[in-house]
Amino acid sequence: MSDTDSEVISFFVREKMLEEQEPPLTERGAVKWLRENLFSSWLNGLLTIVSLYVIWYILSGIVPWLWSPTWSLGSLSECREVLTGLGETTHQACWGVIRDRWQQLLFGFYPSDAYWRPTLALVILLAGLAPVLFGSIPRWFLLFSAATPFVLFLLLWGGPIWTPLLVGVGLVLGVVAFRYLVGVNQIVAVLAAIIVPVLFWLFLVEPIAFELTYTAPIGLEFIPSKDFGGFMLSVVIGVAAIILSLPLGIMLALGRASDLFIVTKLSVIFIEIIRGVPLIVWLFTASLLLNYFLPPGTSFDLTLRVIIMVTLFSAAYIAEVVRGGLAAVPKGQYEGADSLGLSYWQSMQLIVLPQALKISIPGIVNTFIGLFKDTTLVVFIGLLDPLGLTSAIRASTDWNGIYWELYVFIGVLFFIACYGMGRYSLWLETKLQRENR
Amino acid sequence: MSVTENIPTRQIDRSQMKVSDEIAIEITGMNKWFGTFHVLRDINLTVQRGERIVVCGPSGSGKSTLIRCINRLEEHQKGTIMVDGTELSSDLKNIDKIRSEVGMCFQHFNLFPHLTILENCTLAPIWVRKTPKKEAEETAMKFLEKVKIPEQANKYPGQLSGGQQQRVAIARSLCMKPRIMLFDEPTSALDPEMIKEVLDTMIELAEEGMTMICVTHEMGFAQAVANRVIFMDQGQIVEQNEPKEFFNNPKSERTKLFLSQILGH
């Protein structure tokens, strides 16, 4: 180092190391958060204050209405009496109606000594869905899932055990026929897998079930669909339609994307007609018009008709969502699968659909949430869904004139179910995202 | 690009590269149209077992379409294509049979992104060949070692580099034990340093006597490995010759122009 440098750079040695210090008050904890998120500028500060006022205004209206000590009261007039006695206005909820009638809102006119059946059915349904929804559960559990629909049918409707059992046997026969013939010819195997169970159901189930019931009358008390009601009815229709419409929708989407002219056109016509007409029209068709087409004397369960209509309706929507997913799978994936010698069904099942469905998850779940809420439309064709039951409850002298409490309760039930579906969809997306990166 | 680029540094072992009398592919009078556009015109080509053929030509000359016709990714409208003695027609059974005998590698790899590398390789053997899972996995690991990426077996394609993905794609095809391999511009989507690793894998394959048809612009590869170079233009085979003659002494004006353009700088 030269002399001139030492004149410029003054000599320095640190004698004492500095301790770590806390940041100034404005840079930590709540103060920093407030400054960054709520008051980052004058305009934002002003907007924050206005928003807080609006939120307070709304809550100050709702919370006192919700916070109402009326849980134990037995009629609307009692509520009014108590609330006036407390010196409050009548703008308060009367929760006694929920305590008094929650069973009716959940189960409709289902016999009260059989409430355990739909409750157990719900538990079995959730257990049966678990292996399908969450991949981490052992695969053999899927067999249990496959048996679930028959157990649920038996629990909900009752009757002799043999009919659902024989319907299940029909499906097994179809699978066996497919397995046996698939080596010979694929098309023959598929046809056999459809025709064998259908023939079995049409001609053999009834006489065999009759004989078996005669010799061994095992079963549960039969409960007709007209006694079904409340949130249970919504769940029955919703879940059945969701489970049935997914495979049907996928088949329609594949049909629409197919190279076969007639298959494509039929799929398009089906989708456009179903989608182009309001659901309520289809429900009226199910309840009124179908009777004209069926042979006189046949009674075809109304709930079943509604399930079929809702299934077809949502299948058309699912088909369009899945079609979007199919279109988003690059052409190279189809070619990659083809070049390895995979058949059409193999390449769809193993390559194209897993990717297409992953892309379609948000749309599919969105359709399902819409479908589940649309089940309340059945009130218009005389089924007692939760909304229909509110009128039934109002018809009693005790609760004449009560509206909001019932609707809030029903709304919360639907919100829990729909929010759950939404969260599941998010979870599945992140899981698949992480797996494939 | 020059002829010397990407020539392998090591000595190529030609002991196994034997062309036999057996015919692997026979194309006679084949024509194809895309709508009204006549994309392939009167193609006649016989490939013996063990041949390594490089197809080159300007873009739009129909070279990719030609090899895509060989495993029916494209349908031809006139003429016949025989692969291993089986004629390609609209009979689905024949098509599936030929596809499982003919391996193919694409420009953009076309690996299945939702499956691991190992699952990519075992999928077709398990579902098409009905190989037991364990056996299929052993075979897959053998081929992954051959293309030098066994340690990536449990990753997903998206986690690999382009060169690695293309080598997986080659391994995936090899797992079906094909007798013929088609390469559709396998290095065109790769960075320069990755091209070499893929070409090395292809050279190894040639050394083992695989019948190969490669659409590529890698002229170094053509000179080192091919026994025949085919030049296509406007949907026709314009010139074919053994590589030395083809590069040093091209006959047609069109070939001369093409070679001067790709080798000139």
Side-chain angles (χ1 to χ4, degrees):
Chain A
M1 194 183 285
S2 68
D3 289 346
T4 45
D5 278 350
S6 62
E7 280 165 23
V8 179
I9 305 165
S10 51
F11 189 70
F12 175 80
V13 171
R14 181 174 291 285
E15 313 226 304
K16 184 163 163 278
M17 300 308 281
L18 295 176
E19 293 292 311
E20 197 178 327
Q21 289 185 333
E22 290 206 335
L25 205 60
T26 52
E27 278 304 315
R28 56 183 145 127
V31 178
K32 178 175 193 251
W33 185 88
L34 279 174
R35 222 172 49 127
E36 282 183 357
N37 293 296
L38 298 179
F39 300 100
S40 59
S41 73
W42 278 109
L43 180 66
N44 284 354
L46 191 69
L47 287 175
T48 300
I49 290 168
V50 171
S51 314
L52 284 176
Y53 174 75
V54 171
I55 293 168
W56 177 81
Y57 183 79
I58 293 171
L59 285 181
S60 68
I62 291 176
V63 171
W65 184 85
L66 286 172
W67 195 260
S68 167
T70 46
W71 183 249
S72 56
L73 304 180
S75 74
L76 191 56
S77 47
E78 259 184 70
C79 275
R80 291 199 173 132
E81 222 168 273
V82 169
L83 288 174
T84 328
L86 285 170
E88 317 230 5
T89 59
T90 50
H91 291 295
Q92 280 199 294
C94 182
W95 294 117
V97 66
I98 307 297
R99 182 190 56 77
D100 194 29
R101 298 298 182 96
W102 66 273
Q103 289 174 318
Q104 209 180 358
L105 284 170
L106 289 185
F107 300 111
F109 293 104
Y110 207 81
S112 56
D113 58 348
Y115 280 165
W116 64 271
R117 279 161 55 173
T119 315
L120 181 62
L122 183 66
V123 173
I124 291 178
L125 170 73
L126 294 177
L129 280 179
V132 182
L133 298 183
F134 308 99
S136 53
I137 290 159
R139 306 310 277 174
W140 58 264
F141 214 76
L142 280 172
L143 279 178
F144 174 76
S145 303
T148 308
F150 305 102
V151 179
L152 294 187
F153 179 84
L154 183 69
L155 273 175
L156 291 172
W157 276 275
I161 192 172
W162 304 111
T163 314
L165 203 65
L166 285 169
V167 171
V169 168
L171 279 184
V172 173
L173 281 178
V175 173
V176 169
F178 182 79
R179 280 277 168 84
Y180 187 71
L181 288 170
V182 76
V184 185
N185 186 324
Q186 220 159 14
I187 298 167
V188 173
V190 171
L191 283 179
I194 297 167
I195 292 170
V196 168
V198 167
L199 287 180
F200 181 78
W201 290 329
L202 283 180
F203 297 110
L204 288 174
V205 167
E206 217 177 300
I208 296 178
F210 184 78
E211 280 301 315
L212 284 170
T213 313
Y214 186 72
T215 45
I218 311 167
L220 291 165
E221 186 203 342
F222 175 68
I223 294 167
S225 313
K226 69 174 173 53
D227 289 347
F228 283 39
F231 195 60
M232 173 195 143
L233 181 68
S234 297
V235 173
V236 168
I237 296 175
V239 169
I242 283 173
I243 291 173
L244 293 172
S245 69
L246 186 58
L248 187 60
I250 291 172
M251 293 313 290
L252 280 171
L254 290 179
R256 192 166 187 170
S258 154
D259 293 334
L260 307 169
F261 180 78
I262 293 178
V263 173
T264 312
K265 290 297 168 234
L266 283 180
S267 306
V268 170
I269 290 170
F270 180 88
I271 292 169
E272 296 301 343
I273 289 181
I274 294 276
R275 205 168 53 141
V277 177
L279 177 58
I280 192 76
V281 174
W282 290 120
L283 291 177
F284 277 121
T285 311
S287 82
L288 304 170
L289 215 57
L290 277 186
N291 279 349
Y292 291 108
F293 297 120
L294 294 169
T298 42
S299 71
F300 190 46
D301 192 276
L302 180 59
T303 313
L304 207 56
R305 279 186 263 165
V306 167
I307 288 177
I308 291 172
M309 275 305 177
V310 176
T311 301
L312 296 182
F313 191 75
S314 93
Y317 279 85
I318 296 288
E320 286 301 282
V321 173
V322 174
R323 188 170 69 99
L326 286 176
V329 174
K331 194 158 160 273
Q333 293 292 309
Y334 294 84
E335 288 179 353
D338 282 348
S339 73
L340 287 170
L342 293 172
S343 70
Y344 173 80
W345 289 109
Q346 284 173 339
S347 68
M348 286 301 140
Q349 179 199 345
L350 301 166
I351 309 300
V352 178
L353 279 178
Q355 298 181 53
L357 290 179
K358 184 189 141 196
I359 301 167
S360 319
I361 290 170
I364 291 175
V365 174
N366 195 28
T367 309
F368 284 161
I369 289 176
L371 152 75
F372 185 55
K373 290 184 297 180
D374 282 350
T375 57
T376 51
L377 285 174
V378 299
V379 67
F380 292 111
I381 55 167
L383 291 182
L384 287 172
D385 85 311
L387 293 184
L389 279 164
T390 60
S391 324
I393 291 170
R394 265 196 303 279
S396 72
T397 43
D398 282 349
W399 301 111
N400 196 353
I402 200 148
Y403 288 90
W404 284 100
E405 294 79 354
L406 298 171
Y407 290 142
V408 166
F409 180 71
I410 295 163
V412 168
L413 288 181
F414 273 99
F415 176 80
I416 290 169
C418 295
Y419 185 72
M421 283 192 256
R423 296 310 295 186
Y424 172 73
S425 134
L426 279 179
W427 175 82
L428 193 61
E429 273 171 66
T430 29
K431 186 184 121 164
L432 294 175
Q433 204 65 47
R434 191 181 60 238
E435 279 183 357
N436 305 352
R437 219 149 319 204
Chain B
M1 196 189 292
S2 72
V3 184
T4 47
E5 199 181 339
N6 287 321
I7 281 188
T9 41
R10 70 183 166 81
Q11 200 62 42
I12 292 178
D13 172 20
R14 288 182 168 269
S15 63
Q16 298 293 316
M17 291 193 199
K18 284 182 193 137
V19 177
S20 82
D21 293 341
E22 198 186 333
I23 290 172
I25 301 170
E26 189 169 23
I27 303 174
T28 34
M30 194 256 277
N31 282 270
K32 171 165 181 61
W33 288 263
F34 280 132
T36 55
F37 175 53
H38 198 171
V39 59
L40 289 179
R41 304 176 195 178
D42 192 33
I43 303 288
N44 290 290
L45 177 67
T46 306
V47 182
Q48 320 275 94
R49 187 158 307 293
E51 278 204 274
R52 289 91 43 207
I53 294 178
V54 163
V55 184
C56 62
S59 64
S61 59
K63 50 196 192 310
S64 284
T65 313
L66 170 62
I67 70 163
R68 286 160 60 85
C69 280
I70 294 172
N71 69 350
R72 237 321 143 119
L73 289 181
E74 305 286 357
E75 197 178 328
H76 62 281
Q77 279 92 29
K78 239 174 105 181
T80 55
I81 303 177
M82 303 275 284
V83 181
D84 270 340
T86 313
E87 192 187 337
L88 263 180
S89 58
S90 45
D91 185 346
L92 285 175
K93 265 222 171 96
N94 280 354
I95 294 174
D96 282 345
K97 180 163 172 275
I98 286 170
R99 279 175 179 168
S100 62
E101 300 290 338
V102 178
M104 177 140 187
C105 289
F106 300 87
Q107 183 177 2
H108 296 288
F109 334 131
N110 297 355
L111 294 177
F112 307 129
H114 61 299
L115 301 175
T116 63
I117 300 305
L118 190 62
E119 286 165 344
N120 263 282
C121 293
T122 57
L123 184 96
I126 290 174
W127 288 85
V128 179
R129 289 248 191 277
K130 313 289 178 203
T131 317
K133 188 166 180 239
K134 202 155 173 282
E135 199 186 315
E137 281 178 355
E138 279 165 14
T139 318
M141 285 313 292
K142 197 183 88 192
F143 283 114
L144 286 175
E145 268 160 39
K146 192 176 151 74
V147 300
K148 302 189 182 64
I149 29 179
E151 69 281 358
Q152 315 280 10
N154 291 315
K155 289 193 181 166
Y156 286 92
Q159 294 164 281
L160 269 56
S161 74
Q164 289 174 323
Q165 290 194 41
Q166 191 60 289
R167 282 184 286 154
V168 171
I170 294 173
R172 180 177 74 175
S173 298
L174 292 179
C175 285
M176 287 295 279
K177 309 262 172 68
R179 308 185 69 191
I180 300 164
M181 282 290 287
L182 308 174
F183 292 87
D184 187 1
E185 306 203 22
T187 55
S188 301
L190 297 177
D191 290 343
E193 70 253 46
M194 292 172 184
I195 292 178
K196 194 174 167 302
E197 60 187 55
V198 171
L199 289 182
D200 280 346
T201 310
M202 289 166 65
I203 288 165
E204 242 177 82
L205 212 57
E207 284 171 339
E208 284 162 21
M210 176 67 80
T211 313
M212 295 162 74
I213 305 182
C214 312
V215 172
T216 183
H217 298 298
E218 297 299 332
M219 292 305 142
F221 172 80
Q223 281 207 324
V225 177
N227 69 315
R228 184 144 53 123
V229 179
I230 292 177
F231 175 69
M232 287 184 72
D233 191 28
Q234 294 174 7
Q236 299 151 69
I237 295 178
V238 174
E239 186 165 349
Q240 53 173 314
N241 212 335
E242 51 123 353
K244 211 172 230 163
E245 274 294 294
F246 179 83
F247 288 112
N248 297 337
N249 194 9
K251 300 283 186 297
S252 99
E253 285 307 312
R254 190 66 194 84
T255 315
K256 283 177 193 161
L257 182 66
F258 176 74
L259 286 177
S260 75
Q261 273 167 351
I262 65 165
L263 304 175
H265 48 91

